[in-house]
Short mmCIF file of all heavy atoms in Angstrom, two decimals:
data_model
loop_
_atom_site.label_atom_id
_atom_site.label_comp_id
_atom_site.label_asym_id
_atom_site.label_seq_id
_atom_site.Cartn_x
_atom_site.Cartn_y
_atom_site.Cartn_z
N CYS A 7 17.23 16.95 -18.86
CA CYS A 7 16.26 17.21 -19.92
C CYS A 7 16.56 18.52 -20.64
O CYS A 7 16.83 19.55 -20.01
CB CYS A 7 14.85 17.27 -19.34
SG CYS A 7 14.19 15.68 -18.79
N ASN A 8 16.51 18.47 -21.96
CA ASN A 8 16.50 19.68 -22.76
C ASN A 8 15.04 20.03 -23.08
O ASN A 8 14.12 19.51 -22.45
CB ASN A 8 17.34 19.50 -24.02
CG ASN A 8 16.92 18.26 -24.81
OD1 ASN A 8 15.80 17.75 -24.64
ND2 ASN A 8 17.80 17.76 -25.64
N PHE A 9 14.83 20.88 -24.08
CA PHE A 9 13.47 21.27 -24.41
C PHE A 9 12.61 20.06 -24.79
O PHE A 9 11.44 19.97 -24.43
CB PHE A 9 13.46 22.29 -25.54
CG PHE A 9 13.88 23.66 -25.10
CD1 PHE A 9 14.46 24.54 -25.99
CD2 PHE A 9 13.71 24.07 -23.80
CE1 PHE A 9 14.86 25.81 -25.59
CE2 PHE A 9 14.11 25.32 -23.37
CZ PHE A 9 14.69 26.20 -24.27
N ASP A 10 13.21 19.12 -25.53
CA ASP A 10 12.45 17.93 -25.91
C ASP A 10 12.04 17.11 -24.69
O ASP A 10 10.93 16.56 -24.62
CB ASP A 10 13.28 17.06 -26.86
CG ASP A 10 13.50 17.73 -28.21
OD1 ASP A 10 12.66 18.58 -28.59
OD2 ASP A 10 14.52 17.42 -28.87
N GLY A 11 12.97 17.01 -23.72
CA GLY A 11 12.65 16.26 -22.50
C GLY A 11 11.55 16.91 -21.70
O GLY A 11 10.61 16.23 -21.22
N TYR A 12 11.63 18.22 -21.51
CA TYR A 12 10.57 18.90 -20.77
C TYR A 12 9.25 18.87 -21.54
O TYR A 12 8.18 18.83 -20.94
CB TYR A 12 10.97 20.35 -20.48
CG TYR A 12 12.01 20.46 -19.38
CD1 TYR A 12 13.27 21.00 -19.64
CD2 TYR A 12 11.74 20.00 -18.11
CE1 TYR A 12 14.23 21.09 -18.65
CE2 TYR A 12 12.69 20.08 -17.10
CZ TYR A 12 13.93 20.62 -17.38
OH TYR A 12 14.88 20.70 -16.39
N HIS A 13 9.35 18.88 -22.88
CA HIS A 13 8.13 18.74 -23.67
C HIS A 13 7.50 17.37 -23.44
O HIS A 13 6.26 17.25 -23.37
CB HIS A 13 8.46 18.93 -25.16
CG HIS A 13 7.26 18.76 -26.05
ND1 HIS A 13 6.25 19.69 -26.13
CD2 HIS A 13 6.91 17.75 -26.90
CE1 HIS A 13 5.33 19.28 -26.98
NE2 HIS A 13 5.71 18.10 -27.46
N CYS A 14 8.34 16.34 -23.30
CA CYS A 14 7.83 14.99 -23.00
C CYS A 14 7.16 14.95 -21.64
O CYS A 14 6.06 14.40 -21.49
CB CYS A 14 8.97 13.98 -23.07
SG CYS A 14 8.53 12.31 -22.55
N LEU A 15 7.83 15.53 -20.64
CA LEU A 15 7.23 15.56 -19.30
C LEU A 15 5.94 16.37 -19.31
O LEU A 15 4.97 16.03 -18.64
CB LEU A 15 8.22 16.13 -18.29
CG LEU A 15 9.44 15.27 -17.98
CD1 LEU A 15 10.42 16.02 -17.09
CD2 LEU A 15 9.03 13.97 -17.31
N ARG A 16 5.93 17.46 -20.07
CA ARG A 16 4.72 18.27 -20.16
C ARG A 16 3.62 17.51 -20.91
O ARG A 16 2.44 17.55 -20.52
CB ARG A 16 5.03 19.58 -20.87
CG ARG A 16 3.82 20.50 -21.02
CD ARG A 16 4.22 21.83 -21.62
NE ARG A 16 4.69 21.68 -23.00
CZ ARG A 16 5.05 22.70 -23.77
NH1 ARG A 16 5.00 23.94 -23.30
NH2 ARG A 16 5.47 22.48 -25.00
N LYS A 17 3.99 16.82 -21.99
CA LYS A 17 3.03 16.08 -22.78
C LYS A 17 2.38 14.97 -21.97
O LYS A 17 1.19 14.67 -22.13
CB LYS A 17 3.71 15.50 -24.01
CG LYS A 17 2.81 14.69 -24.93
CD LYS A 17 3.60 14.16 -26.10
CE LYS A 17 2.71 13.29 -27.00
NZ LYS A 17 3.48 12.74 -28.16
N ASN A 18 3.17 14.33 -21.10
CA ASN A 18 2.66 13.22 -20.30
C ASN A 18 2.18 13.64 -18.93
O ASN A 18 1.90 12.79 -18.08
CB ASN A 18 3.74 12.15 -20.14
CG ASN A 18 4.08 11.45 -21.44
OD1 ASN A 18 3.39 10.55 -21.86
ND2 ASN A 18 5.15 11.90 -22.09
N SER A 19 2.12 14.95 -18.69
CA SER A 19 1.79 15.42 -17.35
C SER A 19 0.41 14.98 -16.90
O SER A 19 0.19 14.65 -15.73
CB SER A 19 1.89 16.95 -17.28
OG SER A 19 0.96 17.55 -18.20
N ASP A 20 -0.56 14.94 -17.82
CA ASP A 20 -1.93 14.60 -17.43
C ASP A 20 -2.05 13.15 -16.97
O ASP A 20 -2.75 12.85 -16.01
CB ASP A 20 -2.89 14.85 -18.59
CG ASP A 20 -3.01 16.32 -18.93
OD1 ASP A 20 -2.73 17.14 -18.04
OD2 ASP A 20 -3.38 16.65 -20.08
N CYS A 21 -1.34 12.25 -17.67
CA CYS A 21 -1.48 10.83 -17.35
C CYS A 21 -0.38 10.31 -16.43
O CYS A 21 -0.50 9.23 -15.87
CB CYS A 21 -1.50 9.99 -18.63
SG CYS A 21 -0.01 10.15 -19.64
N VAL A 22 0.71 11.07 -16.27
CA VAL A 22 1.86 10.56 -15.52
C VAL A 22 2.12 11.35 -14.25
O VAL A 22 2.78 10.87 -13.33
CB VAL A 22 3.12 10.57 -16.41
CG1 VAL A 22 4.32 10.02 -15.68
CG2 VAL A 22 2.89 9.75 -17.67
N SER A 23 1.58 12.55 -14.16
CA SER A 23 1.90 13.41 -13.02
C SER A 23 1.60 12.74 -11.69
O SER A 23 2.42 12.75 -10.78
CB SER A 23 1.14 14.73 -13.13
OG SER A 23 1.41 15.56 -12.02
N ASP A 24 0.42 12.14 -11.60
CA ASP A 24 0.06 11.49 -10.33
C ASP A 24 0.99 10.33 -10.03
O ASP A 24 1.34 10.08 -8.88
CB ASP A 24 -1.39 11.00 -10.39
CG ASP A 24 -2.39 12.15 -10.40
OD1 ASP A 24 -2.00 13.26 -9.99
OD2 ASP A 24 -3.54 11.94 -10.83
N ILE A 25 1.43 9.60 -11.07
CA ILE A 25 2.33 8.47 -10.86
C ILE A 25 3.69 8.98 -10.40
O ILE A 25 4.30 8.44 -9.48
CB ILE A 25 2.46 7.65 -12.16
CG1 ILE A 25 1.11 7.03 -12.52
CG2 ILE A 25 3.51 6.56 -12.01
CD1 ILE A 25 1.12 6.26 -13.81
N LEU A 26 4.19 10.03 -11.03
CA LEU A 26 5.48 10.58 -10.64
C LEU A 26 5.47 11.11 -9.22
O LEU A 26 6.46 11.01 -8.50
CB LEU A 26 5.88 11.69 -11.62
CG LEU A 26 6.44 11.23 -12.97
CD1 LEU A 26 6.53 12.40 -13.93
CD2 LEU A 26 7.79 10.58 -12.81
N LEU A 27 4.35 11.68 -8.81
CA LEU A 27 4.30 12.27 -7.48
C LEU A 27 4.05 11.23 -6.40
O LEU A 27 4.67 11.27 -5.34
CB LEU A 27 3.21 13.34 -7.44
CG LEU A 27 3.45 14.59 -8.30
CD1 LEU A 27 2.31 15.57 -8.15
CD2 LEU A 27 4.76 15.26 -7.93
N THR A 28 3.15 10.28 -6.64
CA THR A 28 2.77 9.34 -5.59
C THR A 28 3.56 8.04 -5.61
O THR A 28 3.63 7.34 -4.61
CB THR A 28 1.27 9.02 -5.69
OG1 THR A 28 1.00 8.44 -6.99
CG2 THR A 28 0.45 10.29 -5.53
N LEU A 29 4.15 7.69 -6.79
CA LEU A 29 4.92 6.46 -6.94
C LEU A 29 4.15 5.24 -6.45
O LEU A 29 4.59 4.52 -5.54
CB LEU A 29 6.25 6.57 -6.20
CG LEU A 29 7.20 7.65 -6.67
CD1 LEU A 29 8.42 7.71 -5.76
CD2 LEU A 29 7.63 7.41 -8.11
N PRO A 30 2.98 4.96 -7.03
CA PRO A 30 2.23 3.77 -6.59
C PRO A 30 2.92 2.49 -7.01
O PRO A 30 3.80 2.50 -7.88
CB PRO A 30 0.89 3.94 -7.32
CG PRO A 30 1.24 4.71 -8.54
CD PRO A 30 2.34 5.66 -8.14
N PRO A 31 2.56 1.34 -6.41
CA PRO A 31 3.21 0.07 -6.78
C PRO A 31 3.03 -0.30 -8.24
O PRO A 31 3.83 -1.05 -8.79
CB PRO A 31 2.50 -0.95 -5.87
CG PRO A 31 2.00 -0.15 -4.71
CD PRO A 31 1.65 1.19 -5.26
N SER A 32 2.01 0.24 -8.91
CA SER A 32 1.76 -0.10 -10.30
C SER A 32 2.84 0.44 -11.24
O SER A 32 2.86 0.10 -12.42
CB SER A 32 0.39 0.45 -10.74
OG SER A 32 0.34 1.86 -10.58
N THR A 33 3.74 1.29 -10.75
CA THR A 33 4.79 1.82 -11.62
C THR A 33 5.83 0.76 -11.98
O THR A 33 6.60 0.94 -12.92
CB THR A 33 5.51 2.99 -10.92
OG1 THR A 33 6.06 2.53 -9.67
CG2 THR A 33 4.55 4.13 -10.66
N ASN A 34 5.88 -0.32 -11.22
CA ASN A 34 6.85 -1.40 -11.46
C ASN A 34 8.30 -0.92 -11.34
O ASN A 34 9.20 -1.47 -11.96
CB ASN A 34 6.63 -2.04 -12.83
CG ASN A 34 5.29 -2.75 -12.93
OD1 ASN A 34 4.83 -3.35 -11.97
ND2 ASN A 34 4.66 -2.68 -14.08
N VAL A 35 8.51 0.12 -10.59
CA VAL A 35 9.85 0.60 -10.30
C VAL A 35 10.25 0.09 -8.93
O VAL A 35 9.54 0.30 -7.95
CB VAL A 35 9.92 2.14 -10.34
CG1 VAL A 35 11.30 2.62 -9.93
CG2 VAL A 35 9.58 2.64 -11.74
N GLU A 36 11.38 -0.61 -8.85
CA GLU A 36 11.84 -1.16 -7.59
C GLU A 36 12.45 -0.05 -6.74
O GLU A 36 13.63 0.28 -6.88
CB GLU A 36 12.85 -2.28 -7.84
CG GLU A 36 12.27 -3.50 -8.53
CD GLU A 36 11.25 -4.22 -7.67
OE1 GLU A 36 11.34 -4.12 -6.42
OE2 GLU A 36 10.35 -4.86 -8.23
N CYS A 37 11.65 0.53 -5.89
CA CYS A 37 12.15 1.61 -5.05
C CYS A 37 12.92 1.08 -3.84
O CYS A 37 13.95 1.63 -3.46
CB CYS A 37 10.99 2.50 -4.57
SG CYS A 37 10.20 3.43 -5.91
N ASN A 38 12.41 0.01 -3.23
CA ASN A 38 13.06 -0.56 -2.03
C ASN A 38 13.28 0.50 -0.96
O ASN A 38 14.34 0.55 -0.33
CB ASN A 38 14.39 -1.22 -2.40
CG ASN A 38 14.23 -2.39 -3.34
OD1 ASN A 38 13.28 -3.16 -3.22
ND2 ASN A 38 15.13 -2.51 -4.29
N CYS A 39 12.31 1.36 -0.78
CA CYS A 39 12.43 2.45 0.19
C CYS A 39 11.92 2.01 1.55
O CYS A 39 10.70 1.84 1.74
CB CYS A 39 11.67 3.70 -0.29
SG CYS A 39 12.37 4.44 -1.78
N LEU A 40 12.82 1.80 2.47
CA LEU A 40 12.47 1.45 3.84
C LEU A 40 12.46 2.71 4.70
O LEU A 40 13.19 3.67 4.41
CB LEU A 40 13.47 0.45 4.41
CG LEU A 40 13.51 -0.92 3.72
CD1 LEU A 40 14.61 -1.78 4.32
CD2 LEU A 40 12.17 -1.64 3.84
N PRO A 41 11.67 2.74 5.75
CA PRO A 41 11.65 3.93 6.61
C PRO A 41 12.96 4.11 7.35
O PRO A 41 13.79 3.19 7.44
CB PRO A 41 10.48 3.63 7.57
CG PRO A 41 10.35 2.15 7.57
CD PRO A 41 10.72 1.70 6.18
N ASN A 42 13.14 5.29 7.90
CA ASN A 42 14.32 5.58 8.71
C ASN A 42 14.21 4.86 10.04
O ASN A 42 13.14 4.81 10.65
CB ASN A 42 14.44 7.08 8.96
CG ASN A 42 14.57 7.86 7.67
OD1 ASN A 42 15.12 7.38 6.70
ND2 ASN A 42 14.05 9.08 7.66
N CYS A 43 15.33 4.32 10.51
CA CYS A 43 15.31 3.64 11.81
C CYS A 43 15.07 4.64 12.95
O CYS A 43 14.32 4.35 13.88
CB CYS A 43 16.62 2.89 12.02
SG CYS A 43 16.81 1.43 10.96
N ASP A 44 15.73 5.78 12.88
CA ASP A 44 15.48 6.86 13.83
C ASP A 44 14.76 7.97 13.07
O ASP A 44 15.35 8.57 12.15
CB ASP A 44 16.78 7.39 14.44
CG ASP A 44 17.45 6.36 15.33
OD1 ASP A 44 16.74 5.52 15.91
OD2 ASP A 44 18.70 6.38 15.43
N ASP A 45 13.52 8.20 13.41
CA ASP A 45 12.70 9.10 12.60
C ASP A 45 11.98 10.09 13.49
O ASP A 45 11.53 9.74 14.60
CB ASP A 45 11.70 8.30 11.78
CG ASP A 45 11.16 9.09 10.61
OD1 ASP A 45 11.70 10.17 10.31
OD2 ASP A 45 10.19 8.62 9.98
#
């Protein structure tokens, strides 16, 4: 990100911050994150 990119992240921080941090299923991003076998 350059200044425009950070401005976008800053502009969307109120409505997107929680989504970026928690990654709920509603994001429609295929994470496919399985737990560690040895944890």
Side-chain angles (χ1 to χ4, degrees):
C7 288
N8 53 20
F9 285 153
D10 292 335
Y12 286 118
H13 178 73
C14 174
L15 291 174
R16 180 175 65 177
K17 180 181 177 181
N18 292 279
S19 61
D20 294 337
C21 60
V22 181
S23 178
D24 291 340
I25 296 177
L26 281 169
L27 293 181
T28 59
L29 298 175
S32 60
T33 58
N34 295 323
V35 175
E36 294 294 334
C37 293
N38 297 321
C39 294
L40 295 176
N42 300 328
C43 289
D44 293 331
D45 199 10

